[in-house]
Amino acid sequence: METVVGDAFGRVLERCHAAGGRPGVAFAVVERDDGHIGVHDAAAYFSGRDEWPEAERRICAGLTGRVLDVGCGAGRHAAVLAAAGLHVVGVDTSPGAVAVARERGVDARLGSATALPTGLGAFDAVLLLGNNVGLLGSAETAPVVLAELARVTVPGGRLLLSGIDPFETDDAEHLDYHRWNRERGRLPGQCRIRLRDGRLATEWFDYLFVSEAELRALVDGSPWSVGRWERDGHGYAVRLDRR
Amino acid sequence: METVVGDAFGRVLERCHAAGGRPGVAFAVVERDDGHIGVHDAAAYFSGRDEWPEAERRICAGLTGRVLDVGCGAGRHAAVLAAAGLHVVGVDTSPGAVAVARERGVDARLGSATALPTGLGAFDAVLLLGNNVGLLGSAETAPVVLAELARVTVPGGRLLLSGIDPFETDDAEHLDYHRWNRERGRLPGQCRIRLRDGRLATEWFDYLFVSEAELRALVDGSPWSVGRWERDGHGYAVRLDRR
C-alpha cells in the first residue's frame, strides 16, 4: 500500500480547528524530495496578530480596502484583518483550508497563486504572508505569479510578502539540499515538498525560500517595485508597489 | 537523494532533552509501511509518574529490587523508578536514547529485547511499558522475546507490559491496515514502521499492537503466566509472573 493523494493539509487544519486551534493536537508534516521530514504544530495557522512576526505586523500597518490573501490557510492573517473591518478574500488550493477559513469568518475560495478564481474583482492589497513568498514556487513560476497577482491589483496597490532567508542556517541537511538544487539547476531554496497526514499526501509542489538579493532579482522586471523592506531576525516582510 | 539510515528516534529525544523535555519542540514521526504518517510530541517520553496511564501506575505498585526497563527511551519509567531508589537498568536500541536516559540518571545500555546485553545479571522485574508490548514484534518473535526476558528474570519475578487494543478504533486507515496485515499472514496490529527525523530514518521494524485475547494467546505456552490485568480506556497494563 502507498500514500493516497489528497488534502493532507486541509485535514490537519480541520483537526486543529475542531480542537479550538490549540497546540499539541494536529501537526503539519512536510516531506521534502531529499527524504527530509519536518514537523510543525498546526496551531501556528490559528495564531492571532500578536503572534505574527514583528515584521509582518509592521508591513500590514495601514492596510485599507479590498485585500486578497493568497494561500490563506486557516485564515491566520485573513480572519484577523476581516475582523478588523477590511474586505478580505482568501484563496487556497486546499478544500479543507477553505472550509476552516470560512468558519473563521473569511470569504475564502478555492484557487492558486498561478490560477486565481475568476470574478474576484480588483484589490488594494494582495498578501503572501506566513512565508508565502514560497508560493512564487521557482525562478520559472515567480514571474507568472507576480503577473497574475498584478492583474487583480489596482494601480498603486501593494503586494505584501514574508519569508525566511534560506542561507541563515548551519543545518547540514539544508545546506546539502541547497547544493543538490544548484546541481540540478534550481534556486538553492526551491523546496520540492508535499504534506502528509495519515495515509494522505498532497501532490508534490515547489515552495521557494529566497534571500533578499534573490527576491529583489525576481521582482526586477515584474509589474512590481520594492517599496519597503522589514527585517526580523532571519525573516523579512516586504511591500511591493504595483507600478 | 533519499533518507539516511540512522538514529532518528535518538536525535528527537536529544532535541527534546536539550529543551528540558518541554512540549512543542521535538516530534516523533512514525511512518508505517502503508504510507501512513503519525506524529506525537517527544515530551511524552519525558513525562513523570503522574502522567503515566493509571493502569501503569497501578501495575507498578510494589516493585522492588532489580528492574530491567526494555526500550527505556528517555527513561520515562526508568528515571522515575531509579529516583525512587530501585536499581534500574535500561536497555534501548537507540544510542541517542541511551545517552539521554543516562543523563537522566538511568544505568542505560545499548541492546534490544531479542538480544539483551551480556552480564546484566538477574532481575526481579522486567518492564515493557509505554506500549512496549509492541516490542514483542510479531507472532514469530514474541516467543523469542518472552524467553529472552525470562532468561534474565528470577523465578517468581514479574514482567510488566502495557499496550493499546488495536481494534478499539474506527479510523478507516487503521482498519484497512489490519485487513492488509491479515491478507499477508500477519497479526492485524503488527505495524511495520520506522521513525523519521530530518533526513534520518531508522531501519524498518515490527511493533505489535495486540488485544487482550491476542496477548493471552502469545503468553500461553511461554515461561510466563498472567498474574494481573489492569484496564484503562483502550489501554491495558499486565503483570506476567515467571513460572
Side-chain angles (χ1 to χ4, degrees):
Chain A
M1 296 210 287
E2 254 305 317
T3 52
V4 176
V5 173
D7 186 14
F9 183 59
R11 195 164 74 174
V12 169
L13 292 183
E14 286 173 329
R15 201 158 62 243
C16 191
H17 182 55
R22 73 171 188 278
V25 174
F27 304 97
V29 176
V30 181
E31 182 180 22
R32 201 168 58 189
D33 65 347
D34 62 340
H36 185 281
I37 289 263
V39 182
H40 56 274
D41 196 305
Y45 296 103
F46 294 81
S47 63
R49 189 195 294 255
D50 291 351
E51 293 143 294
W52 299 355
E54 174 61 28
E56 287 191 352
R57 288 203 298 272
R58 283 199 300 263
I59 213 83
C60 282
L63 274 180
T64 55
R66 298 191 79 234
V67 176
L68 177 67
D69 184 2
V70 179
C72 65
R76 166 167 43 175
H77 300 92
V80 168
L81 297 171
L86 292 169
H87 179 151
V88 185
V89 175
V91 165
D92 207 286
T93 57
S94 157
V98 167
V100 170
R102 282 185 181 165
E103 286 186 29
R104 301 182 73 228
V106 178
D107 176 7
R109 328 268 179 95
L110 263 184
S112 75
T114 47
L116 291 169
T118 54
L120 288 180
F123 294 91
D124 300 290
V126 177
L127 313 183
L128 285 171
L129 297 176
N131 297 328
N132 268 345
V133 64
L135 296 179
L136 294 180
S138 67
E140 293 69 38
T141 55
V144 180
V145 173
L146 291 171
E148 176 73 351
L149 300 183
R151 190 177 62 76
V152 296
T153 307
V154 299
R158 54 184 68 174
L159 171 57
L160 308 184
L161 313 95
S162 72
I164 295 171
D165 188 324
F167 306 114
E168 297 279 342
T169 182
D170 55 4
D171 183 316
E173 297 182 337
H174 293 326
L175 296 173
D176 280 350
Y177 190 71
H178 296 168
R179 235 183 325 268
W180 187 41
N181 267 340
R182 285 192 186 93
E183 284 166 22
R184 48 183 183 161
R186 297 157 60 97
L187 284 172
Q190 184 182 335
C191 295
R192 188 143 188 87
I193 59 173
R194 60 177 182 174
L195 279 88
R196 295 180 67 169
D197 179 61
R199 288 193 65 204
L200 287 186
T202 66
E203 300 278 10
W204 291 96
F205 61 98
D206 284 322
Y207 198 77
L208 183 63
F209 291 86
V210 277
S211 67
E212 176 168 348
E214 288 172 328
L215 182 53
R216 285 184 183 273
L218 291 173
V219 170
D220 197 40
S222 81
W224 304 92
S225 60
V226 174
R228 195 168 149 202
W229 202 285
E230 297 276 356
R231 291 167 194 85
D232 186 11
H234 298 164
Y236 54 78
V238 184
R239 192 191 82 225
L240 304 182
D241 298 318
R242 178 85 168 86
R243 289 185 203 274
Chain B
M1 297 212 286
E2 254 305 319
T3 52
V4 176
V5 173
D7 186 13
F9 182 59
R11 194 165 73 176
V12 169
L13 292 183
E14 286 173 328
R15 200 158 63 244
C16 191
H17 182 55
R22 72 172 189 277
V25 175
F27 303 97
V29 176
V30 180
E31 183 180 23
R32 202 168 57 190
D33 65 347
D34 62 340
H36 185 281
I37 288 263
V39 182
H40 56 274
D41 196 306
Y45 296 102
F46 294 81
S47 62
R49 191 194 293 254
D50 291 350
E51 294 144 293
W52 298 357
E54 175 62 27
E56 287 191 352
R57 288 203 298 273
R58 283 199 300 263
I59 212 84
C60 283
L63 274 180
T64 55
R66 299 190 77 233
V67 177
L68 177 66
D69 184 4
V70 180
C72 66
R76 167 168 40 174
H77 300 91
V80 168
L81 297 171
L86 292 168
H87 181 150
V88 185
V89 175
V91 164
D92 208 286
T93 58
S94 156
V98 168
V100 170
R102 283 185 180 165
E103 286 186 29
R104 300 182 73 228
V106 178
D107 176 8
R109 328 267 179 96
L110 263 184
S112 74
T114 47
L116 292 170
T118 54
L120 288 180
F123 295 92
D124 299 289
V126 177
L127 313 182
L128 284 171
L129 296 176
N131 297 328
N132 269 346
V133 66
L135 296 180
L136 295 180
S138 68
E140 292 70 37
T141 55
V144 179
V145 173
L146 291 171
E148 175 74 351
L149 300 183
R151 189 178 62 78
V152 297
T153 306
V154 299
R158 53 185 67 174
L159 171 57
L160 308 183
L161 313 95
S162 73
I164 296 171
D165 187 326
F167 306 113
E168 296 279 342
T169 182
D170 55 4
D171 183 317
E173 296 182 337
H174 293 326
L175 296 173
D176 281 350
Y177 190 70
H178 296 169
R179 236 183 322 270
W180 188 40
N181 267 341
R182 284 193 187 93
E183 284 166 20
R184 49 183 182 160
R186 296 156 59 96
L187 284 172
Q190 184 182 337
C191 294
R192 187 145 188 85
I193 60 173
R194 61 177 181 172
L195 279 89
R196 295 180 65 168
D197 179 62
R199 287 193 66 206
L200 287 187
T202 66
E203 300 278 9
W204 291 96
F205 61 98
D206 284 323
Y207 198 77
L208 182 64
F209 291 86
V210 277
S211 67
E212 176 169 347
E214 289 172 327
L215 183 52
R216 285 185 184 272
L218 291 173
V219 170
D220 199 37
S222 81
W224 304 92
S225 60
V226 174
R228 194 165 151 205
W229 201 286
E230 297 276 356
R231 291 167 194 82
D232 186 12
H234 298 166
Y236 53 78
V238 184
R239 192 192 82 225
L240 303 183
D241 298 317
R242 178 87 169 84
R243 290 184 205 272

